[in-house]
Amino acid sequence: MISSHINTVISTMGSDPMQDHDIMEKAGEVLRRGGLVAFPTETVYGLGANAMDACAVKKIYVAKGRPSDNPLIVHVGELAAVEGLVESIPEAAVALMKNFFPGPLTLIFKSNGTIPTETTGGRDTVAIRFPSDKLAQRLIKASGVPIAAPSANLSGRPSPTRAEHVISDLSGRVDMIIDGGEATLGLESTIVDVTGEVPLLLRPGSVTAEMIGAVVGRINRYSFTGGEEHEALAPGMKYKHYAPNAPVTLVIGEQDKIAEKIKQLILLNHDKKVGIMSAEETKGKYEALGAEVITLGSINHPETIARSLYAALRELDEKGVEVIFSEGFSEEHLGLAIMNRLKKASGFNIINV
Ligand code: TXA
Ligand code: MG
């Protein structure tokens, strides 16, 4: 059993090529002998273990405090590794892999049984992702095994986009944390189930529904409001996710009305420490009202909002705010993923103006 007194080695990449090489060799070795290594990817930091080693994978669940029926994504370092893990690669998957691997896309295949049930949460399917992050690729190659990796946060905390987030959640619970700087995208990978006739979007991400539709013609998607059927398909969705300590209220609707409503809410909560998550364009509206305003990014550059969202949630926790009000954004393209995470952070506590 993992207890909370593991000696966690923290290694920072990028200072010297020889040292980087040594860090990668060491991390590969830790993974091969059944240890846990947290590492950066282009989406969020992952907590890796050898996906073929049931014992190692069990340690992930303990370290995160994650329910063991919630399956893990298997990360591979080359396209050719996929076929050894799955029953077959459907036509739609071939097209999606060609367009988006390596990258922030996870595909759910029928498993051929190679990956142990501890990794797949007892399912007959397996989730596979080929990350584009060079450091993640190097680590997978150095380990010589496929790497099972959920986001490297404690269960129920926002996913980590910086090494400091991982250190604050998992220090003393894992063998090694590799600091490779800030994750460039900031939201977890898009998940698409390709086991059915029509690909099914299970989790929106930086590879957008529109991008996938353009490649495969048709894609089914959920409204992502929870519900039993959805839970059965994407077990991770049933657990409370991405939630900061303070309750979040998400305000959606017309942009001007959103700001007006949030101003009202700040005044109504004058006796509390209030946190606001705002776009660059509207932050000025809340100044002078005494709230902690965190700017997520620009409405015209949703990738800036995606990149800073989880860090903002953590920052508001650290500031000890008692309530959080967030602006809602367009749900087109990357906006669907941003709003999916914001809705979950709010526990679907949404005001429509
Ligand atoms: O970007 C990402 O995907 C990051 C980085 C580290 O790669 N990983 C990540 O893992 O977000 P995690 O465990 O936090 O989220 C994986 C989601 C969970 O909701 C899980 O239930 C779902 O993928 N999942 C994994 N295997 C599945 C399967 N066989 N069928 C359906 N859903 C699956
Ligand atoms: Mg996660």
Side-chain angles (χ1 to χ4, degrees):
M1 271 316 244
I2 289 202
S3 55
S4 53
H5 50 71
I6 293 180
N7 177 28
T8 304
V9 175
I10 299 167
S11 301
T12 305
M13 294 287 290
S15 54
D16 160 63
M18 283 297 283
Q19 200 183 322
D20 286 359
H21 175 82
D22 290 349
I23 293 171
M24 283 294 124
E25 288 301 305
K26 171 140 196 290
E29 172 69 30
V30 170
L31 288 167
R32 272 194 304 281
R33 62 170 172 77
L36 301 185
V37 177
F39 63 100
T41 82
E42 71 276 24
T43 57
V44 299
Y45 273 73
L47 177 58
N50 177 357
M52 311 290 283
D53 179 343
C55 267
V57 165
K58 280 188 193 155
K59 294 182 192 167
I60 289 182
Y61 291 97
V62 177
K64 275 185 62 104
R66 175 178 174 118
S68 60
D69 64 341
N70 190 0
L72 304 174
I73 296 172
V74 177
H75 297 67
V76 297
E78 55 182 351
L79 264 183
V82 179
E83 59 184 5
L85 306 176
V86 304
E87 214 180 73
S88 65
I89 304 182
E91 217 177 292
V94 173
L96 291 172
M97 288 163 64
K98 189 166 165 243
N99 282 274
F100 305 118
F101 273 19
L105 175 69
T106 297
L107 296 177
I108 312 276
F109 295 91
K110 282 251 157 57
S111 169
N112 69 3
T114 303
I115 296 292
T117 54
E118 283 75 6
T119 306
T120 61
R123 301 182 154 242
D124 60 3
T125 53
V126 60
I128 302 185
R129 168 156 129 73
F130 176 9
S132 60
D133 184 275
K134 292 295 171 238
L135 219 152
Q137 289 184 359
R138 266 178 87 179
L139 178 65
I140 300 165
K141 293 226 164 86
S143 75
V145 294
I147 298 182
S151 48
N153 52 288
L154 283 174
S155 205
R157 298 275 293 145
S159 290
T161 54
R162 298 178 193 155
E164 67 195 68
H165 301 157
V166 183
I167 294 167
S168 113
D169 279 16
L170 297 179
S171 192
R173 306 173 76 94
V174 304
D175 298 290
M176 192 166 173
I177 297 172
I178 301 175
D179 183 347
E182 189 172 10
T184 47
L185 300 175
L187 297 179
E188 307 87 341
S189 62
T190 306
I191 304 183
V192 177
D193 184 331
V194 289
T195 62
E197 222 159 85
V198 178
L200 177 63
L201 180 65
L202 293 180
R203 179 172 74 184
S206 297
V207 174
T208 65
E210 291 87 348
M211 288 158 75
I212 294 166
V215 169
V216 297
R218 217 175 123 202
I219 174 157
N220 287 336
R221 44 166 147 162
Y222 281 96
S223 57
F224 302 108
T225 51
E228 260 168 47
E229 186 197 6
H230 191 193
E231 282 170 11
L233 282 160
M237 307 293 182
K238 76 183 170 199
Y239 304 105
K240 196 171 176 231
H241 255 183
Y242 320 119
N245 295 325
V248 180
T249 302
L250 179 61
V251 183
I252 61 171
E254 282 171 42
Q255 217 177 312
D256 285 349
K257 289 194 185 160
I258 291 175
E260 280 313 308
K261 184 72 196 174
I262 290 181
K263 274 160 77 174
Q264 265 178 30
L265 289 166
I266 297 173
L267 296 173
L268 276 171
N269 286 274
H270 61 90
D271 54 337
K272 297 206 181 82
K273 190 162 180 193
V274 178
I276 303 295
M277 292 200 287
S278 151
E280 186 68 50
E281 288 83 354
T282 40
K283 68 170 182 194
K285 306 209 176 196
Y286 314 116
E287 271 159 15
L289 290 177
E292 278 295 345
V293 183
I294 300 218
T295 309
L296 295 175
S298 165
I299 295 166
N300 299 320
H301 300 282
E303 66 282 0
T304 58
I305 297 176
R307 193 180 303 137
S308 64
L309 179 59
Y310 286 139
L313 289 169
R314 282 178 182 262
E315 196 181 331
L316 286 168
D317 266 351
E318 271 160 33
K319 288 191 191 298
V321 300
E322 293 163 282
V323 286
I324 299 171
F325 302 114
S326 177
E327 295 182 345
F329 304 99
S330 150
E331 291 195 89
E332 293 194 342
H333 304 281
L334 181 55
L336 186 67
I338 294 169
M339 287 299 285
N340 169 258
R341 305 318 191 268
L342 275 174
K343 285 178 184 174
K344 286 173 156 219
S346 77
F348 296 91
N349 176 21
I350 300 167
I351 298 177
N352 197 343
V353 290

